[in-house]
């Protein structure tokens, strides 16, 4: 699930889903159906470190299924860079999987894919495609 204001998080989420072999991806703003047993949330940071209202509303309804969070922001915010992720992780007791500068990089996608692959190994939850584990072992130019 993702929440995007400028399109950066949406682009990251769709690229990640594609690289993971077609994981389902949905926006918290599009009257989403309840996510499955567990989900990864990708969101942006609003203002000087706040969780966006749309993300907070989604989590009030579906927070029990949250397994990890990825937060986008901009380095120029200093200590508030990606702070929404820290706040969500602390509130729900889940890991902050990644902090993205704006739309993230290929290295960021590889890190999140590796986390997803680890989740599929540690959990029997069907929310992670088995293709993820195969994809994270690929050679990615510039990363290995």
């Amino acid at each position: 699930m993702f929440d995007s204001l400028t399109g950066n998080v949406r682009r990251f989420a769709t690229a990640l889903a594609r690289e993971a072999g077609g994981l389902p991806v949905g926006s918290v703003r599009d009257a989403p159906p309840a996510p499955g047993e567990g989900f990864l949330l990708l969101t942006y940071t609003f203002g000087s470190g706040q969780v966006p209202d749309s993300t907070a509303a989604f989590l009030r309804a579906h927070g029990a299924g949250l397994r990890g969070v990825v937060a986008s922001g901009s380095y120029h915010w200093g200590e508030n860079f990606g702070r929404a992720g820290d706040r969500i992780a602390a509130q729900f007791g889940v890991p902050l999987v990644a902090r993205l500068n704006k739309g993230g990089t290929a290295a960021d996608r590889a890190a999140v894919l590796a986390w997803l692959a680890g989740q599929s190994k540690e959990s029997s939850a069907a929310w992670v495609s088995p293709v993820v584990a195969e994809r994270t072992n690929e050679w990615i130019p510039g990363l290995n």
Side-chain angles (χ1 to χ4, degrees):
M1 296 303 298
F2 72 89
D3 194 358
S4 186
L5 182 66
T6 64
N8 286 330
V9 176
R10 177 186 49 79
R11 283 187 294 277
F12 185 89
T14 55
L16 182 69
R18 183 180 60 250
E19 290 178 29
L23 285 178
V25 62
S27 171
V28 304
R29 294 171 181 248
D30 293 336
E37 289 183 21
F39 63 93
L40 174 66
L41 175 70
L42 297 88
T43 190
Y44 63 98
T45 299
F46 188 74
S48 59
Q50 289 82 26
V51 174
D53 289 341
S54 48
T55 297
F58 176 80
L59 288 171
R60 280 192 295 278
H62 304 291
L66 183 64
R67 298 294 180 263
V69 63
V70 173
S72 174
S74 177
Y75 289 147
H76 84 270
W77 283 100
E79 68 181 30
N80 287 323
F81 164 59
R83 173 76 47 101
D86 295 318
R87 293 173 188 229
I88 293 168
Q91 180 180 354
F92 290 90
V94 299
L96 175 60
V97 176
R99 201 177 266 131
L100 313 174
N101 184 47
K102 300 182 183 179
T105 64
D108 294 326
R109 287 192 308 277
V112 176
L113 285 169
W115 182 84
L116 287 169
Q119 294 302 299
S120 67
K121 290 175 186 173
E122 295 173 14
S123 169
S124 61
W127 67 285
V128 177
S129 165
V131 176
V132 172
E134 294 172 22
R135 289 294 189 124
T136 56
N137 291 327
E138 287 182 5
W139 179 78
I140 302 171
L143 296 180
N144 299 358

